[in-house]
Amino acid sequence: MTTLKKKSEAAALVASLRDAYNSGLTAKRQWRINQLNALRQMVVDNESVIEAALFSDLGKSASEAQLTEIGIILGDIDYALKNLSSWLKPHKVSVPLAAMPAKAFVVSEPVGVALIIAPWNYPMQLLLAPLVGAIAAGNAAVLKPSELAPATSAALAKLIPVYLDPRAIAIVEGAAEETGWLLEQRYDHIFYTGNGRVARIVMEAAAKNLTPVSLELGGKSPIYIDDSVDLEAAALRIAWAKYLNAGQTCVAPDYILATQSVQKELESHLVTAIENLYGADPLQSDDYGRIINDNHFARLSGYLKDGRVVAVGKPVAKRRYIPPTVLVDVKRDAAVMQEEIFGPVLPMITVKDLDDAIDFINSKSKPLALYVFSENTLVRRAFTERTSSGAIGFNVAILHLSVPGLPFGGVGESGIGAYRGKRSFDTFSHEKAILSKPLKPETLALVYPPFTESKKKLITGLLRKLS
């Protein structure tokens, strides 16, 4: 663990990591493999430690910690180890006839030193998942966990220097001041997960050095649901996705759009689904989490007046508990509809029809995810073609995160860039173009001067044939 006491220490830390990168240490294939295996061993050896930290910070059960944090990281590591050799192979591309004989190919090289800043809601997964890509691509990295999840931050700060190479991978704890010191340094890529306000600060800092960024943000991810689906089954999937981690998930369903008749029937199914998931009193459930801190608890509690509450139980401030809540009779301009909720409050908005729902979605910032519960092919096509979002899930929510081959990222204000699977590797890589041509006079005759009339005609004829 590195503790920064002044800005100059941040500069020294990044300089030492850059020295390790410049030495060629991180580019070696075996180093990458060793570090990925070491990261895997760290997680496996310390599952109970990680589970305890996540419970302390967010009230996450062991099963939820395994499903949404530990299991995802292990899956990402295994996927990278399985595919690393193929990712590192040069990729051949065709050469136009006018440049023949020649060979052209693309190789992936590491970008250098990366800064990874993680949020508090999935404090282990969202710190280590980008790290998997950074290591696989051959980079050095600075890790900044969230101070709002102190137990997880402390656990990772203790473990990472023990298992990973401290010459090239460092973790820095701290709050806004330490993050500010880190952002003043020069990196070759900055990967930030969090909110739009801080993202603007990150982009401003990155612009000073023309540093590329990945911004994994959020937004209000809507659900549209119609009467073509089994509403009882849909309610269970919606409730699971919404109330996982007490709603503190960037791709959690933020609100529901449905006609009045669908809403009326769906309301009772959601109440039943909540009870099936968390029992008659979710306060007593081992599977239901807690709000991260008092400030967020107060913010979320304020939303409960924006509609008619359909919930079991009442908020308990001392335990940072807000029950899984459905809000009905919510106005479109209510406070709960102005920003990402990021908690276990699910408002339902009445729409006239499909067109009204699409118009409402398009009137807001592009969401990180959009969920459509419909068996109607034309409805699905309408949302695919007439809306823009980071992802679309048909008859399911959140689950697209579990597919390594799908890019995870936003569009517009919901994010810049994508990762997971090979895209994590690509995010921290530069694709270098390479052209190789034999140095023989006869092979240069067509593409180098002097350009005689006969040569011009020959070149023109070749280009016409190619077109």
Side-chain angles (χ1 to χ4, degrees), residues 3-222:
T3 302
L4 301 179
K5 296 182 179 179
K6 52 186 177 179
K7 182 167 62 175
S8 61
E9 293 178 347
L13 172 65
V14 176
S16 69
L17 297 178
R18 192 168 297 281
D19 287 343
Y21 169 77
N22 288 336
S23 74
L25 170 71
T26 63
K28 297 175 182 177
R29 179 183 302 200
Q30 195 57 52
W31 183 88
R32 307 183 200 195
I33 293 172
N34 290 345
Q35 292 303 296
L36 289 172
N37 279 320
L39 184 61
R40 193 184 201 288
Q41 196 63 48
M42 182 192 84
V43 175
V44 171
D45 287 350
N46 297 279
E47 288 187 19
S48 60
V49 173
I50 295 168
E51 289 173 358
L54 292 170
F55 180 80
S56 175
D57 288 331
L58 289 153
K60 286 191 181 183
S61 66
S63 59
E64 186 174 325
Q66 287 287 340
L67 176 67
T68 65
E69 306 236 25
I70 294 170
I72 287 179
I73 292 303
L74 293 179
D76 282 1
I77 295 170
D78 291 344
Y79 190 86
L81 286 168
K82 179 181 178 180
N83 293 282
L84 185 59
S85 293
S86 64
W87 294 346
L88 292 174
K89 288 181 181 178
H91 172 64
K92 292 183 179 180
V93 297
S94 60
V95 177
L97 186 59
M100 291 294 286
K103 294 180 180 179
F105 48 98
V106 178
V107 297
S108 294
E109 65 178 15
V111 295
V113 180
L115 171 63
I116 299 171
I117 305 174
W120 52 262
N121 59 322
Y122 290 89
M124 178 250 192
Q125 181 216 134
L126 295 178
L127 184 72
L128 300 188
L131 178 63
V132 171
I135 291 173
N139 299 279
V142 181
L143 306 176
K144 174 57 182 68
S146 173
E147 70 278 10
L148 297 182
T152 306
S153 177
L156 293 174
K158 181 179 179 180
L159 294 172
I160 283 174
V162 174
Y163 284 83
L164 301 183
D165 191 339
R167 294 172 295 176
I169 300 170
I171 181 167
V172 175
E173 287 196 283
E177 185 176 39
E178 290 80 2
T179 304
W181 292 342
L182 289 174
L183 284 171
E184 290 186 30
Q185 313 311 311
R186 181 178 69 85
Y187 303 94
D188 301 286
H189 197 95
I190 298 177
F191 193 106
Y192 169 76
T193 305
N195 61 62
R197 179 185 61 81
V198 177
R200 287 170 171 82
I201 297 172
V202 171
M203 284 198 75
E204 183 178 358
K208 294 177 181 178
N209 293 303
L210 298 180
T211 302
V213 298
S214 296
L215 302 178
E216 298 300 332
L217 308 178
K220 297 183 75 64
S221 297

Side-chain angles (χ1 to χ4, degrees), residues 287-308:
D287 295 320
Y288 188 67
R290 297 296 182 265
I291 306 306
I292 186 66
N293 59 33
D294 293 339
N295 289 337
H296 282 277
F297 176 88
R299 177 182 62 84
L300 293 165
S301 297
Y303 291 148
L304 301 183
K305 66 180 184 299
D306 287 345
R308 178 167 58 86

